[in-house]
């Protein structure tokens, strides 16, 4: 995997629909295509596209241990709706135990460095395990989510994980997401109806006002934060 291959995929699939692109990737990279879901609105749409067509794409999620109860509920409802498996990855137990023993349960409020340390243990390291043996990593990133994602391409090489990321909903608006959910009867996290745009760990996520940035509810106490946890840092988003 490299940047040239990502550019090649952009050209090869330029006229394809999302469904056709997904099927093309499954055929081109058999057994090496994975999708990471956090059960947000975008991810529920992509999950429906994959499961409804029985595509041979591995789905996984990162359970940080700090999710909202509503997130676990939509996880369970998704399993029931499609009768499919979603692989769960947890952070290393010893590292979580050491972090809480030395710094307590809310160290991430104390400094950006502490917050990034927590994100690294609970998200970044489990992601690296989940992406072992994977060539194509599908994500739910959209340009309108933040200014750091505006310049993304549909296919981007991720040197940190040595995979190519495919962002099928990159150009979708929030209205398109909601319409797809309505048309296809897709279940979604009820927190979206309570003002939560981007949903992560419970202590680090809050509802936003209609005029606020999509990512304003994440790590709001960091005034100069780029509002990212490190999962997508290599794509400059």
């Amino acid at each position: 995997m490299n940047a040239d291959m990502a550019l090649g995929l952009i050209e090869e699939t330029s006229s394809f629909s999302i469904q056709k692109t997904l099927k093309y990737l499954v055929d081109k990279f058999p057994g090496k295509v994975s999708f990471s879901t956090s059960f947000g609105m975008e991810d529920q749409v992509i999950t429906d596209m994959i499961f409804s067509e029985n595509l041979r794409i591995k789905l996984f999620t990162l359970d940080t241990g700090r999710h909202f109860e509503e997130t676990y509920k939509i996880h369970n409802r998704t399993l029931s709706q499609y009768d499919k498996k979603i692989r769960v990855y947890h952070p290393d137990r010893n590292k979580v135990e050491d972090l809480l023993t030395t710094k307590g349960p809310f160290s991430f409020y104390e400094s950006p460095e502490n917050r990034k340390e927590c994100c690294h243990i609970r998200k970044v390291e489990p992601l690296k395990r989940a992406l072992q043996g994977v060539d194509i990593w599908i994500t739910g990133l959209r340009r309108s989510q933040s200014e750091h994602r505006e310049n993304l391409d549909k296919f981007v090489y991720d040197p940190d994980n040595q995979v190519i990321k495919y962002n099928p909903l990159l150009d979708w608006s929030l209205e398109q997401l909601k319409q797809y959910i309505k048309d296809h009867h897709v279940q979604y996290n009820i927190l979206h109806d309570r003002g939560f745009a981007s949903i992560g760990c419970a202590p680090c996520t809050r509802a936003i006002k209609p005029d606020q940035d999509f990512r304003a509810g994440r790590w709001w106490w960091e005034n100069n934060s780029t509002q990212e946890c490190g999962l997508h840092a290599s794509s400059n988003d």
Side-chain angles (χ1 to χ4, degrees):
M1 297 296 103
N2 54 50
D4 289 339
M5 293 186 69
L7 291 174
L9 287 171
I10 292 175
E11 296 178 0
E12 293 165 17
T13 64
S14 61
S15 63
F16 291 1
S17 65
I18 293 176
Q19 285 288 7
K20 187 174 181 179
T21 300
L22 290 171
K23 292 176 182 178
Y24 178 80
L25 294 174
V26 167
D27 291 337
K28 189 177 181 68
F29 304 94
K32 294 183 177 296
V33 183
S34 288
F35 168 53
S36 58
T37 176
S38 59
F39 302 101
M41 195 174 294
E42 292 84 359
D43 294 342
Q44 288 299 97
V45 167
I46 297 174
T47 295
D48 183 76
M49 291 178 174
I50 293 172
F51 280 162
S52 62
E53 295 293 329
N54 290 310
L55 298 176
R56 298 187 307 278
I57 295 174
K58 302 173 185 176
L59 270 70
F60 70 87
T61 188
L62 308 177
D63 185 350
T64 66
R66 304 298 294 264
H67 289 324
F68 287 95
E69 180 181 355
E70 289 84 354
T71 300
Y72 289 113
K73 286 182 177 179
I74 190 61
H75 181 172
N76 197 57
R77 294 209 310 272
T78 302
L79 297 178
S80 299
Q81 178 178 3
Y82 299 102
D83 193 26
K84 303 280 189 181
K85 300 294 184 183
I86 297 176
R87 175 69 186 273
V88 179
Y89 287 87
H90 288 94
D92 182 275
R93 184 193 69 186
N94 292 327
K95 291 182 179 180
V96 173
E97 290 177 353
D98 289 344
L99 176 64
L100 269 64
T101 298
T102 58
K103 296 187 177 182
F106 296 112
S107 62
F108 41 82
Y109 289 136
E110 298 173 3
S111 70
E113 292 73 24
N114 278 357
R115 194 269 293 173
K116 292 175 183 178
E117 177 185 28
C118 185
C119 286
H120 189 83
I121 290 172
R122 295 182 183 273
K123 295 182 179 182
V124 177
E125 289 188 352
L127 175 69
K128 289 187 179 299
R129 285 190 281 116
L131 292 179
Q132 289 181 3
V134 172
D135 286 344
I136 304 294
W137 170 25
I138 302 169
T139 83
L141 299 181
R142 293 189 297 113
R143 285 199 177 96
S144 62
Q145 288 172 335
S146 75
E147 63 181 23
H148 304 287
R149 298 176 176 179
E150 290 178 351
N151 297 320
L152 282 179
D153 288 319
K154 286 285 181 68
F155 289 93
V156 181
Y157 178 61
D158 179 346
D160 289 345
N161 295 297
Q162 298 182 35
V163 299
I164 292 176
K165 291 166 61 174
Y166 171 45
N167 309 304
L169 303 182
L170 193 61
D171 296 319
W172 280 39
S173 65
L174 181 59
E175 289 70 28
Q176 285 177 284
L177 282 175
K178 292 181 176 179
Q179 190 62 50
Y180 183 100
I181 287 171
K182 179 180 179 180
D183 292 344
H184 295 82
H185 308 288
V186 176
Q187 299 192 58
Y188 63 92
N189 195 326
I190 195 66
L191 289 176
H192 287 302
D193 292 338
R194 300 174 185 168
F196 287 79
S198 175
I199 303 171
C201 293
C204 304
T205 310
R206 67 180 182 180
I208 63 174
K209 298 177 181 178
D211 61 341
Q212 286 185 293
D213 181 82
F214 181 90
R215 302 282 290 183
R218 304 292 292 277
W219 312 295
W220 64 90
W221 63 92
E222 296 181 17
N223 292 330
N224 296 318
S225 172
T226 59
Q227 307 305 318
E228 297 291 348
C229 62
L231 295 182
H232 304 290
S234 61
S235 297
N236 297 319
D237 55 82

